[in-house]
Amino acid sequence: MTSSVFAAERLLFTQTTPDTDAIPLIFAFPNEYSVGITSLGYQVVWATLATRDDVQISRLFTDIHEQLPRQPEIVGFSISWELDYVNILNLLESLNIPIRASLRDENYPIIFGGGPVLTANPEPFADFFDIILLGDGENLLGDFIAAYKEVRHAPRQIQLKRLAQIPGIYIPSLYEVEYQTPNGEVKSIKPIDSDVPAIVQKQTYRGNILSASTVVTEKAAWENIYMVEVVRSCPEMCRFCLASYLTLPFRTASLESSLIPAIERGLKVTNRLGLLGASVTQHPEFEELLNYISQPKYDDVRLSIASVRTNTVTVQLAETLAKRDTRSLTIAVESGSDKLRQIINKKLQNDEIIQAAINAKAGGLSALKLYGMVGIPGEEAEDLDATVAMMRNIKKAAPGLRLSYGCSTFVPKSHTPFQWFGVNRQAEKRLQLLQKQLKPQGIDFRPESYNWSIIQALLSRGDRRLSQLLELTRDFGDSLGSYKRAFKQLKGQIPDLDFYVHNTWSTSQVLPWSHLQGPLPQSTLLKHLDEATSHFRSSSKELQPLNS
């Protein structure tokens, strides 16, 4: 079965024959093949390593793998989803590697991790990795391999200290975390030696040639899709949004030297094209890109586009998508309340949302998916009423257009201005309230699990003490009940669930990721926080972080 899965792959790059002394490296995705091979980040890192003659790379998934080296020197993981940490621990054990970095000596490979989850906040997972790569892989990967080759045959501690000198390479074991009390706040995070950098800076690739699929296969979760990254980051900077703040600055792929060559390459092997990015339609030459894809020679191409900015939904865009086998469009509106949109910096008016629905219908699309959120800091009852009213007005303005409203709970994310806020305890009730009001209107309401939001918040604001909890929950299962059970077992040894999830933190406290520098300094995040809270009503003041 394994060979048939790999045989179905159509590669868009040429694998190199490794040198005889190439570094044996396993590159793993901690989920099934169909999920992992659909990750553009995983595909690109794999292809980058597979075209080097100094690396011999083997892929590993939870269900299948290529032939693995008997003695790998490096094992890497690409992580896109928090709860996949369970699979990382399972895969390490299947390779007979201790799951904690502190238990590995010279006889074990170096374990590294990268991807959005670890770049955001690696601390809950830090004890499981020797090395964490923070940021974009374009430059980081080559720097990592080059530095490793210099110390390939040195003792492990010398290897780690040398690698710690490379910008963006974070070695958790070289930093000591002190706490005020075993179950209190972080007191300090310091390097164990003066030659280890005190701050690790996330690495940002600034080129205008962005990623595109390196493999197309019918076995992917999105069958036979060829993905092209149109933009990276997002210029909107909604204050809760990790996808914007963590990946700044906003970069666009060059139409002539990146997008068109990539699309031409991909459409030779498939007719399914996915345009990716947090804000695809904000590419300055998006109209030209659409015109290019609208050529008659691409009439059989099925096109899908990631979430688009509401005020860029034109009739032309809708027509192009409808012609290209797309039935619906996805837009993130967050709320129907003007006040909340000011708080989160969502530059959007209700009439623009209504116009987007009218244009989508006029262009021949049959459905519109809207995404929103409850529990945004400063939210009050009338803000929910405003969302219900907005959805009613859209339905009235574009009758016959199928409407769905996907709704999540606000989760605080590191490196954003809202990192100091907790999850609103009323959020679950608010999801139920929206459901009650929208269902009778014939609007398909799709709430994201509140319990999953709690686990997400725990991992997004967690510190190293959570590694004990993660080992326990792994045995209990991945429900919220399992996490609560593990907290009970560790009572007094680590803070409680509320500390990580619901508490609003003081802006003066040391954050678990204070030693890891994102694109913006804390002073800028605090300015953006002040701007947000200036729109709070007086009744919401108690939600504000303490400037102590």
Side-chain angles (χ1 to χ4, degrees):
M1 145 152 185
T2 298
S3 56
S4 68
V5 169
F6 293 126
E9 295 180 335
R10 279 158 292 161
L11 301 189
L12 289 114
F13 69 99
T14 306
Q15 284 181 280
T16 306
T17 305
D19 291 342
T20 46
D21 66 339
I23 300 158
L25 184 150
I26 296 173
F27 187 44
F29 191 94
N31 208 311
E32 293 176 357
Y33 172 84
S34 65
V35 178
I37 209 64
T38 312
S39 159
L40 185 57
Y42 181 82
Q43 283 190 23
V44 170
V45 172
W46 162 55
T48 304
L49 294 171
T51 50
R52 295 180 66 116
D53 54 17
D54 54 0
V55 172
Q56 182 178 349
I57 185 167
S58 309
R59 289 176 292 161
L60 169 64
F61 302 92
T62 54
D63 51 349
I64 62 169
H65 57 79
E66 292 175 317
Q67 188 173 350
L68 302 178
R70 297 243 307 270
Q71 288 184 302
E73 290 180 35
I74 299 175
V75 177
F77 291 90
S78 174
I79 306 150
S80 307
W81 196 53
E82 290 90 338
L83 292 188
D84 277 348
Y85 80 84
V86 174
N87 295 330
I88 294 173
L89 305 187
N90 293 343
L91 287 170
L92 286 173
E93 285 182 343
S94 75
L95 297 167
N96 295 317
I97 298 167
I99 59 177
R100 284 188 170 266
S102 57
L103 300 175
R104 296 180 206 128
D105 58 20
E106 327 287 312
N107 300 314
Y108 293 105
I110 278 183
I111 309 300
F112 81 86
V117 170
L118 293 178
T119 296
N121 175 22
E123 289 306 284
F125 316 100
D127 288 344
F128 307 130
F129 290 96
D130 299 302
I131 292 174
I132 290 166
L133 306 183
L134 299 178
D136 296 333
E138 277 89 348
N139 308 332
L140 203 44
L141 213 55
D143 294 347
F144 169 44
I145 298 296
Y148 174 74
K149 281 164 73 177
E150 285 176 30
V151 286
R152 186 176 178 185
H153 303 294
R156 196 179 195 87
Q157 211 47 23
I158 289 172
Q159 288 179 338
L160 296 177
K161 281 204 172 163
R162 168 69 188 98
L163 289 163
Q165 308 307 317
I166 306 297
I169 293 189
Y170 171 44
I171 314 286
S173 61
L174 300 182
Y175 295 80
E176 196 174 9
V177 185
E178 266 191 83
Y179 304 95
Q180 307 282 8
T181 60
N183 57 358
E185 292 171 15
V186 175
K187 185 179 179 184
S188 66
I189 305 166
K190 293 180 184 144
I192 58 170
D193 272 334
S194 57
D195 55 353
V196 175
I199 300 284
V200 187
Q201 175 77 50
K202 175 193 169 291
Q203 293 303 289
T204 302
Y205 165 70
R206 293 175 188 273
N208 64 354
I209 294 181
L210 297 183
S211 302
S213 286
T214 59
V215 59
V216 169
T217 173
E218 66 200 27
K219 309 284 187 190
W222 297 339
E223 201 176 309
N224 286 324
I225 195 155
Y226 177 78
M227 297 172 284
V228 178
E229 187 183 18
V230 178
V231 298
R232 195 173 287 185
S233 194
C234 175
E236 292 306 305
M237 293 175 72
C238 295
R239 294 188 174 112
F240 60 83
C241 182
L242 188 69
S244 177
Y245 272 85
L246 186 68
T247 57
L248 290 168
F250 180 60
R251 286 144 288 164
T252 59
S254 155
L255 187 69
E256 293 301 327
S257 56
S258 185
L259 294 174
I260 288 175
I263 290 168
E264 284 177 347
R265 216 165 45 240
L267 294 182
K268 283 181 185 148
V269 297
T270 183
N271 67 346
R272 272 201 79 180
L273 178 64
L275 302 181
L276 303 191
S279 192
V280 170
T281 50
Q282 276 171 288
H283 190 289
E285 296 171 288
F286 185 73
E287 212 167 298
E288 290 91 322
L289 178 62
L290 265 195
N291 292 336
Y292 173 79
I293 297 166
S294 300
Q295 294 175 89
K297 68 172 176 177
Y298 292 141
D299 274 353
D300 72 328
V301 169
R302 294 171 63 195
L303 178 65
S304 28
I305 291 187
S307 178
V308 299
R309 175 135 170 83
T310 310
N311 59 5
T312 58
V313 179
T314 59
V315 175
Q316 185 213 358
L317 172 67
E319 281 174 346
T320 305
L321 289 170
K323 232 186 273 175
R324 296 280 178 273
D325 210 26
T326 291
R327 301 274 167 263
S328 70
L329 204 52
T330 302
I331 56 176
V333 296
E334 312 319 342
S335 170
S337 155
D338 283 333
K339 179 199 87 184
L340 278 194
R341 289 201 288 252
Q342 281 180 313
I343 288 172
I344 61 177
N345 195 35
K346 187 91 184 175
K347 306 169 205 64
L348 191 56
Q349 302 293 321
N350 281 340
D351 54 3
E352 291 175 294
I353 300 168
I354 289 167
Q355 192 57 53
I358 293 167
N359 291 352
K361 191 187 170 197
L365 294 175
S366 56
L368 187 63
K369 297 174 183 168
L370 296 97
Y371 276 105
M373 200 181 271
V374 296
I376 291 167
E379 180 182 77
E380 292 164 303
E382 59 262 36
D383 299 312
L384 298 178
D385 298 338
T387 297
V388 174
M390 172 190 73
M391 294 303 292
R392 274 194 197 127
N393 292 336
I394 296 170
K395 199 165 170 58
K396 218 178 284 173
L401 189 67
R402 247 189 4 265
L403 289 183
S404 69
Y405 191 68
C407 196
S408 60
T409 295
F410 161 73
V411 170
K413 296 288 185 181
S414 57
H415 307 288
T416 71
F418 282 5
Q419 63 188 356
W420 291 280
F421 287 111
V423 173
N424 191 312
R425 294 173 194 276
Q426 298 300 312
E428 191 168 23
K429 278 192 183 133
R430 292 176 187 185
L431 287 172
Q432 289 160 356
L433 184 86
L434 283 179
Q435 175 135 8
K436 209 166 139 188
Q437 305 247 10
L438 292 175
K439 274 256 160 114
Q441 314 281 328
I443 291 159
D444 180 15
F445 183 68
R446 300 178 182 180
E448 190 176 83
S449 152
Y450 172 74
N451 285 354
W452 158 234
S453 299
I454 296 294
I455 295 170
Q456 236 188 322
L458 170 68
L459 295 175
S460 80
R461 287 172 113 199
D463 54 49
R464 285 192 194 181
R465 289 170 291 190
L466 286 189
S467 67
Q468 305 167 65
L469 182 97
L470 296 182
E471 280 192 62
L472 279 176
T473 48
R474 177 186 172 213
D475 300 325
F476 301 158
D478 63 7
S479 69
L480 183 59
S482 301
Y483 283 81
K484 288 182 169 168
R485 193 172 145 197
F487 268 112
K488 215 179 217 168
Q489 212 162 307
L490 294 167
K491 197 169 170 57
Q493 297 171 54
I494 67 168
D496 58 17
L497 182 73
D498 281 4
F499 169 86
Y500 293 111
V501 173
H502 296 295
N503 289 4
T504 295
W505 289 352
S506 157
T507 54
S508 62
Q509 77 185 63
V510 178
L511 298 170
W513 49 88
S514 292
H515 57 311
L516 309 173
Q517 179 61 56
L520 295 177
Q522 182 147 310
S523 55
T524 306
L525 298 182
L526 285 167
K527 264 186 213 147
H528 293 189
L529 174 68
D530 282 345
E531 170 61 26
T533 55
S534 72
H535 298 289
F536 280 19
R537 300 227 172 93
S538 54
S539 59
S540 318
K541 291 291 185 205
E542 75 278 2
L543 291 165
Q544 294 188 43
L546 303 164
N547 292 299
S548 53

